mmCIF file of all heavy atoms in Angstrom:
data_model
loop_
_atom_site.group_PDB
_atom_site.id
_atom_site.type_symbol
_atom_site.label_atom_id
_atom_site.label_comp_id
_atom_site.label_asym_id
_atom_site.label_seq_id
_atom_site.Cartn_x
_atom_site.Cartn_y
_atom_site.Cartn_z
ATOM 1 N N PHE A 249 1.857 -33.904 -23.687
ATOM 2 C CA PHE A 249 0.630 -34.158 -24.430
ATOM 3 C C PHE A 249 0.865 -34.017 -25.931
ATOM 4 O O PHE A 249 0.474 -34.873 -26.729
ATOM 5 C CB PHE A 249 -0.446 -33.176 -23.969
ATOM 6 C CG PHE A 249 -1.811 -33.448 -24.509
ATOM 7 C CD1 PHE A 249 -2.673 -34.302 -23.856
ATOM 8 C CD2 PHE A 249 -2.244 -32.840 -25.689
ATOM 9 C CE1 PHE A 249 -3.951 -34.558 -24.358
ATOM 10 C CE2 PHE A 249 -3.506 -33.088 -26.190
ATOM 11 C CZ PHE A 249 -4.362 -33.952 -25.522
ATOM 12 N N ASN A 253 0.720 -36.969 -28.793
ATOM 13 C CA ASN A 253 -0.154 -36.877 -29.963
ATOM 14 C C ASN A 253 0.612 -37.183 -31.251
ATOM 15 O O ASN A 253 0.158 -37.959 -32.099
ATOM 16 C CB ASN A 253 -0.740 -35.472 -30.075
ATOM 17 C CG ASN A 253 -2.088 -35.330 -29.396
ATOM 18 O OD1 ASN A 253 -2.553 -36.245 -28.713
ATOM 19 N ND2 ASN A 253 -2.714 -34.182 -29.561
ATOM 20 N N ALA A 331 -9.182 -24.968 -22.814
ATOM 21 C CA ALA A 331 -9.428 -25.782 -24.005
ATOM 22 C C ALA A 331 -9.939 -27.172 -23.627
ATOM 23 O O ALA A 331 -10.809 -27.726 -24.306
ATOM 24 C CB ALA A 331 -8.148 -25.896 -24.833
ATOM 25 N N GLU A 335 -13.281 -29.027 -25.136
ATOM 26 C CA GLU A 335 -13.040 -30.118 -26.074
ATOM 27 C C GLU A 335 -13.223 -31.502 -25.464
ATOM 28 O O GLU A 335 -13.179 -32.493 -26.204
ATOM 29 C CB GLU A 335 -11.628 -30.011 -26.653
ATOM 30 C CG GLU A 335 -11.456 -28.866 -27.640
ATOM 31 C CD GLU A 335 -12.374 -28.982 -28.846
ATOM 32 O OE1 GLU A 335 -12.640 -30.114 -29.309
ATOM 33 O OE2 GLU A 335 -12.844 -27.934 -29.323
ATOM 34 N N ILE A 337 -14.510 -34.874 -24.616
ATOM 35 C CA ILE A 337 -15.489 -35.598 -25.430
ATOM 36 C C ILE A 337 -16.796 -35.842 -24.684
ATOM 37 O O ILE A 337 -17.858 -35.974 -25.304
ATOM 38 C CB ILE A 337 -14.867 -36.933 -25.926
ATOM 39 C CG1 ILE A 337 -15.519 -37.370 -27.238
ATOM 40 C CG2 ILE A 337 -14.929 -38.003 -24.854
ATOM 41 C CD1 ILE A 337 -15.190 -36.467 -28.400
ATOM 42 N N ARG A 340 -18.500 -32.555 -25.562
ATOM 43 C CA ARG A 340 -18.511 -32.101 -26.944
ATOM 44 C C ARG A 340 -19.379 -32.938 -27.854
ATOM 45 O O ARG A 340 -20.152 -32.412 -28.661
ATOM 46 C CB ARG A 340 -17.071 -32.045 -27.495
ATOM 47 C CG ARG A 340 -16.903 -31.006 -28.576
ATOM 48 C CD ARG A 340 -15.834 -31.383 -29.558
ATOM 49 N NE ARG A 340 -16.177 -32.585 -30.309
ATOM 50 C CZ ARG A 340 -17.099 -32.648 -31.258
ATOM 51 N NH1 ARG A 340 -17.815 -31.587 -31.566
ATOM 52 N NH2 ARG A 340 -17.343 -33.779 -31.901
ATOM 53 N N ALA A 366 -5.335 -22.991 -30.319
ATOM 54 C CA ALA A 366 -4.333 -23.978 -30.722
ATOM 55 C C ALA A 366 -4.447 -25.245 -29.885
ATOM 56 O O ALA A 366 -4.392 -26.362 -30.413
ATOM 57 C CB ALA A 366 -2.936 -23.370 -30.598
ATOM 58 N N TYR A 367 -4.624 -25.089 -28.583
ATOM 59 C CA TYR A 367 -4.772 -26.274 -27.726
ATOM 60 C C TYR A 367 -6.044 -27.045 -28.048
ATOM 61 O O TYR A 367 -6.103 -28.264 -27.862
ATOM 62 C CB TYR A 367 -4.762 -25.868 -26.262
ATOM 63 C CG TYR A 367 -3.402 -25.542 -25.705
ATOM 64 C CD1 TYR A 367 -3.208 -24.413 -24.914
ATOM 65 C CD2 TYR A 367 -2.301 -26.362 -25.952
ATOM 66 C CE1 TYR A 367 -1.962 -24.110 -24.387
ATOM 67 C CE2 TYR A 367 -1.055 -26.067 -25.435
ATOM 68 C CZ TYR A 367 -0.891 -24.941 -24.657
ATOM 69 O OH TYR A 367 0.344 -24.649 -24.141
ATOM 70 N N ARG A 368 -7.070 -26.355 -28.533
ATOM 71 C CA ARG A 368 -8.285 -27.063 -28.937
ATOM 72 C C ARG A 368 -7.979 -28.060 -30.053
ATOM 73 O O ARG A 368 -8.525 -29.170 -30.070
ATOM 74 C CB ARG A 368 -9.367 -26.071 -29.391
ATOM 75 C CG ARG A 368 -9.983 -25.262 -28.270
ATOM 76 C CD ARG A 368 -11.113 -24.377 -28.771
ATOM 77 N NE ARG A 368 -12.251 -25.185 -29.211
ATOM 78 C CZ ARG A 368 -13.351 -24.677 -29.753
ATOM 79 N NH1 ARG A 368 -13.453 -23.360 -29.964
ATOM 80 N NH2 ARG A 368 -14.346 -25.474 -30.120
ATOM 81 N N ILE A 369 -7.105 -27.670 -30.980
ATOM 82 C CA ILE A 369 -6.711 -28.591 -32.046
ATOM 83 C C ILE A 369 -6.011 -29.811 -31.448
ATOM 84 O O ILE A 369 -6.299 -30.955 -31.823
ATOM 85 C CB ILE A 369 -5.800 -27.877 -33.055
ATOM 86 C CG1 ILE A 369 -6.588 -26.834 -33.840
ATOM 87 C CG2 ILE A 369 -5.147 -28.883 -34.005
ATOM 88 C CD1 ILE A 369 -5.746 -25.968 -34.749
ATOM 89 N N ALA A 370 -5.087 -29.575 -30.525
ATOM 90 C CA ALA A 370 -4.355 -30.688 -29.915
ATOM 91 C C ALA A 370 -5.295 -31.624 -29.159
ATOM 92 O O ALA A 370 -5.191 -32.852 -29.282
ATOM 93 C CB ALA A 370 -3.284 -30.139 -28.973
ATOM 94 N N LEU A 371 -6.213 -31.057 -28.401
ATOM 95 C CA LEU A 371 -7.140 -31.891 -27.630
ATOM 96 C C LEU A 371 -8.137 -32.604 -28.535
ATOM 97 O O LEU A 371 -8.471 -33.777 -28.299
ATOM 98 C CB LEU A 371 -7.859 -31.025 -26.593
ATOM 99 C CG LEU A 371 -6.962 -30.655 -25.409
ATOM 100 C CD1 LEU A 371 -7.380 -29.331 -24.791
ATOM 101 C CD2 LEU A 371 -6.997 -31.761 -24.358
ATOM 102 N N ALA A 372 -8.615 -31.944 -29.574
ATOM 103 C CA ALA A 372 -9.523 -32.601 -30.520
ATOM 104 C C ALA A 372 -8.820 -33.743 -31.236
ATOM 105 O O ALA A 372 -9.420 -34.788 -31.526
ATOM 106 C CB ALA A 372 -10.063 -31.591 -31.528
ATOM 107 N N THR A 373 -7.532 -33.579 -31.506
ATOM 108 C CA THR A 373 -6.750 -34.658 -32.112
ATOM 109 C C THR A 373 -6.669 -35.848 -31.172
ATOM 110 O O THR A 373 -6.858 -37.007 -31.588
ATOM 111 C CB THR A 373 -5.328 -34.165 -32.448
ATOM 112 O OG1 THR A 373 -5.406 -33.080 -33.372
ATOM 113 C CG2 THR A 373 -4.490 -35.288 -33.032
ATOM 114 N N PHE A 374 -6.380 -35.581 -29.918
ATOM 115 C CA PHE A 374 -6.311 -36.654 -28.922
ATOM 116 C C PHE A 374 -7.622 -37.437 -28.880
ATOM 117 O O PHE A 374 -7.620 -38.682 -28.880
ATOM 118 C CB PHE A 374 -6.005 -36.061 -27.550
ATOM 119 C CG PHE A 374 -6.191 -37.031 -26.410
ATOM 120 C CD1 PHE A 374 -5.212 -37.966 -26.112
ATOM 121 C CD2 PHE A 374 -7.347 -37.009 -25.642
ATOM 122 C CE1 PHE A 374 -5.385 -38.862 -25.065
ATOM 123 C CE2 PHE A 374 -7.530 -37.900 -24.597
ATOM 124 C CZ PHE A 374 -6.540 -38.836 -24.304
ATOM 125 N N TRP A 375 -8.737 -36.732 -28.855
ATOM 126 C CA TRP A 375 -10.016 -37.437 -28.747
ATOM 127 C C TRP A 375 -10.351 -38.217 -30.020
ATOM 128 O O TRP A 375 -10.968 -39.283 -29.950
ATOM 129 C CB TRP A 375 -11.128 -36.454 -28.374
ATOM 130 C CG TRP A 375 -11.036 -36.059 -26.937
ATOM 131 C CD1 TRP A 375 -10.738 -34.834 -26.422
ATOM 132 C CD2 TRP A 375 -11.207 -36.929 -25.811
ATOM 133 N NE1 TRP A 375 -10.705 -34.886 -25.049
ATOM 134 C CE2 TRP A 375 -10.996 -36.155 -24.650
ATOM 135 C CE3 TRP A 375 -11.514 -38.280 -25.667
ATOM 136 C CZ2 TRP A 375 -11.074 -36.692 -23.370
ATOM 137 C CZ3 TRP A 375 -11.592 -38.825 -24.398
ATOM 138 C CH2 TRP A 375 -11.382 -38.031 -23.266
ATOM 139 N N LEU A 376 -9.926 -37.715 -31.174
ATOM 140 C CA LEU A 376 -10.108 -38.510 -32.385
ATOM 141 C C LEU A 376 -9.336 -39.819 -32.282
ATOM 142 O O LEU A 376 -9.847 -40.898 -32.608
ATOM 143 C CB LEU A 376 -9.664 -37.719 -33.614
ATOM 144 C CG LEU A 376 -9.680 -38.495 -34.939
ATOM 145 C CD1 LEU A 376 -11.063 -39.064 -35.227
ATOM 146 C CD2 LEU A 376 -9.201 -37.604 -36.086
ATOM 147 N N LEU A 377 -8.098 -39.732 -31.815
ATOM 148 C CA LEU A 377 -7.293 -40.943 -31.644
ATOM 149 C C LEU A 377 -7.945 -41.897 -30.647
ATOM 150 O O LEU A 377 -7.982 -43.115 -30.870
ATOM 151 C CB LEU A 377 -5.891 -40.558 -31.176
ATOM 152 C CG LEU A 377 -5.039 -39.802 -32.213
ATOM 153 C CD1 LEU A 377 -3.863 -39.108 -31.535
ATOM 154 C CD2 LEU A 377 -4.548 -40.745 -33.300
ATOM 155 N N MET A 378 -8.464 -41.362 -29.579
ATOM 156 C CA MET A 378 -9.117 -42.199 -28.572
ATOM 157 C C MET A 378 -10.346 -42.922 -29.128
ATOM 158 O O MET A 378 -10.665 -44.038 -28.721
ATOM 159 C CB MET A 378 -9.533 -41.340 -27.380
ATOM 160 C CG MET A 378 -8.397 -40.912 -26.477
ATOM 161 S SD MET A 378 -7.808 -42.261 -25.408
ATOM 162 C CE MET A 378 -9.107 -42.321 -24.185
ATOM 163 N N LEU A 379 -11.029 -42.288 -30.077
ATOM 164 C CA LEU A 379 -12.284 -42.826 -30.599
ATOM 165 C C LEU A 379 -12.105 -43.853 -31.713
ATOM 166 O O LEU A 379 -13.080 -44.501 -32.115
ATOM 167 C CB LEU A 379 -13.153 -41.677 -31.131
ATOM 168 C CG LEU A 379 -13.743 -40.734 -30.068
ATOM 169 C CD1 LEU A 379 -14.317 -39.503 -30.737
ATOM 170 C CD2 LEU A 379 -14.820 -41.447 -29.253
ATOM 171 N N GLN A 397 -15.955 -36.686 -34.961
ATOM 172 C CA GLN A 397 -14.829 -35.983 -34.354
ATOM 173 C C GLN A 397 -13.834 -35.532 -35.420
ATOM 174 O O GLN A 397 -13.237 -34.461 -35.311
ATOM 175 C CB GLN A 397 -14.147 -36.881 -33.319
ATOM 176 C CG GLN A 397 -12.988 -36.241 -32.572
ATOM 177 C CD GLN A 397 -13.417 -35.105 -31.652
ATOM 178 O OE1 GLN A 397 -14.604 -34.897 -31.427
ATOM 179 N NE2 GLN A 397 -12.458 -34.384 -31.123
ATOM 180 N N ALA A 398 -13.662 -36.347 -36.453
ATOM 181 C CA ALA A 398 -12.758 -35.970 -37.542
ATOM 182 C C ALA A 398 -13.247 -34.706 -38.237
ATOM 183 O O ALA A 398 -12.455 -33.802 -38.549
ATOM 184 C CB ALA A 398 -12.634 -37.120 -38.538
ATOM 185 N N HIS A 400 -15.092 -32.389 -36.910
ATOM 186 C CA HIS A 400 -14.875 -31.299 -35.960
ATOM 187 C C HIS A 400 -13.414 -30.847 -35.974
ATOM 188 O O HIS A 400 -13.118 -29.647 -35.990
ATOM 189 C CB HIS A 400 -15.276 -31.756 -34.561
ATOM 190 C CG HIS A 400 -14.914 -30.801 -33.469
ATOM 191 N ND1 HIS A 400 -15.438 -29.533 -33.376
ATOM 192 C CD2 HIS A 400 -14.045 -30.930 -32.419
ATOM 193 C CE1 HIS A 400 -14.930 -28.915 -32.317
ATOM 194 N NE2 HIS A 400 -14.079 -29.737 -31.733
ATOM 195 N N LEU A 401 -12.497 -31.802 -35.965
ATOM 196 C CA LEU A 401 -11.079 -31.464 -35.982
ATOM 197 C C LEU A 401 -10.705 -30.709 -37.259
ATOM 198 O O LEU A 401 -9.969 -29.708 -37.217
ATOM 199 C CB LEU A 401 -10.243 -32.733 -35.839
ATOM 200 C CG LEU A 401 -8.725 -32.584 -35.955
ATOM 201 C CD1 LEU A 401 -8.183 -31.559 -34.971
ATOM 202 C CD2 LEU A 401 -8.054 -33.942 -35.753
ATOM 203 N N LEU A 402 -11.205 -31.171 -38.384
ATOM 204 C CA LEU A 402 -10.922 -30.480 -39.639
ATOM 205 C C LEU A 402 -11.471 -29.054 -39.615
ATOM 206 O O LEU A 402 -10.853 -28.129 -40.161
ATOM 207 C CB LEU A 402 -11.518 -31.257 -40.813
ATOM 208 C CG LEU A 402 -10.770 -32.543 -41.184
ATOM 209 C CD1 LEU A 402 -11.601 -33.387 -42.140
ATOM 210 C CD2 LEU A 402 -9.405 -32.212 -41.793
ATOM 211 N N LEU A 404 -11.762 -27.148 -36.907
ATOM 212 C CA LEU A 404 -10.836 -26.368 -36.080
ATOM 213 C C LEU A 404 -9.572 -26.016 -36.860
ATOM 214 O O LEU A 404 -9.095 -24.877 -36.815
ATOM 215 C CB LEU A 404 -10.464 -27.138 -34.821
ATOM 216 C CG LEU A 404 -11.537 -27.306 -33.747
ATOM 217 C CD1 LEU A 404 -10.997 -28.167 -32.605
ATOM 218 C CD2 LEU A 404 -12.002 -25.953 -33.208
#
Side-chain angles (χ1 to χ4, degrees):
F249 188 88
N253 267 7
E335 288 300 325
I337 207 68
R340 208 209 65 72
Y367 283 135
R368 289 184 67 183
I369 291 173
L371 285 152
T373 300
F374 168 80
W375 285 113
L376 174 57
L377 292 163
M378 285 284 284
L379 290 168
Q397 182 67 10
H400 171 63
L401 175 55
L402 286 168
L404 289 177

